[in-house]
Amino acid sequence: MDIGKILGGVLGSGSTGQIGDRIKQATSGGSTSGIGKVLGNSGLVGGALSGGLISAVLGSKKGRKMGGKVLAYGGTALVAGLAYKAWRDYSNRQKPQNHARDTDLASIPADSGFAPEQERGEDDVDFRLALVRAMIAAAKSDGHIDQAEHKRIAAQIEQFELGASEKAFLFDAFSADADPLAIARLARTSEQGAEIYLASSLSIDPDEQVEQQYLDRLAGCLGLPGELRAHLDTQAEGARREFATR
């Protein structure tokens, strides 16, 4: 299974050079924030989500669009970097603080448990697939996708140059119910659970009650301590604010 193709399809299409140009255009004075600098070290990120499959699920809600924009600029590398910083602060008993503008989000210790490209999830699958599936499930948690939208998503999947196994993964992810228990089971470690929660948080509209309830259930299924969740929520909110002015 080609994880690069799947991530390129789900997160949008485009080269890292093209994305770098988008980041420069999106920041003032030609400088990049911490989120933007993650991208420079990540070969996993496709183009803007507006051209990818996630956009078909995120819909037109402002909060979801903001989450999608955040993910487009950082992908799984952004999720890992922010989750690692949240975990570190929590472990050191520090107060939650926003790390969205940190310039070292891609510098994660290899043995930290927060390196998705090196991690394996439950059933020994590439953990980046678990993060993609978590994003999709969270975005679908309000049940707004009707039959017509399912058909449109299926048509988009068919257009990507993916193998049978990659297409099967995406079809399964988009057709499955938004089950927080099933998503929680994708995590093999507490660190992976933190990443799954943060990826999910970035994929919802925080102002929608039903989506917030999904996130509450997911946190419970993952067994996240309340203080750790507060740190992760701070990262998600900070990332949204970072992109709100662009």
Side-chain angles (χ1 to χ4, degrees), residues 141-156:
S141 61
D142 68 349
H144 83 283
I145 299 180
D146 58 22
Q147 187 173 3
E149 287 172 312
H150 270 294
K151 289 182 179 179
R152 185 173 67 252
I153 292 170
Q156 287 179 304

Side-chain angles (χ1 to χ4, degrees), residues 22 35 95 105 107 110 130 169 194 216 226 236 242 246:
R22 293 192 183 105
I35 289 176
K95 292 182 179 180
L105 288 175
S107 302
F169 167 80
D216 292 341
E242 174 68 11
R246 296 184 184 180

Side-chain angles (χ1 to χ4, degrees), residues 20 26 36 63 87 93 102 140 144 167 182 197-198 200 206 208 225 228 233 246:
W87 182 279
R93 298 186 178 182
D102 289 6
K140 290 182 56 182
H144 83 283
K167 287 184 179 180
Y197 176 84
L198 183 56
S200 302
E208 287 291 323
L228 174 57
D233 287 339
R246 296 184 184 180

Side-chain angles (χ1 to χ4, degrees), residues 71-94:
L71 291 172
Y73 279 100
T76 57
L78 171 63
V79 171
L82 291 176
Y84 168 69
K85 290 291 186 82
W87 182 279
R88 187 192 63 186
D89 289 349
Y90 162 73
S91 299
N92 292 334
R93 298 186 178 182
Q94 297 178 355

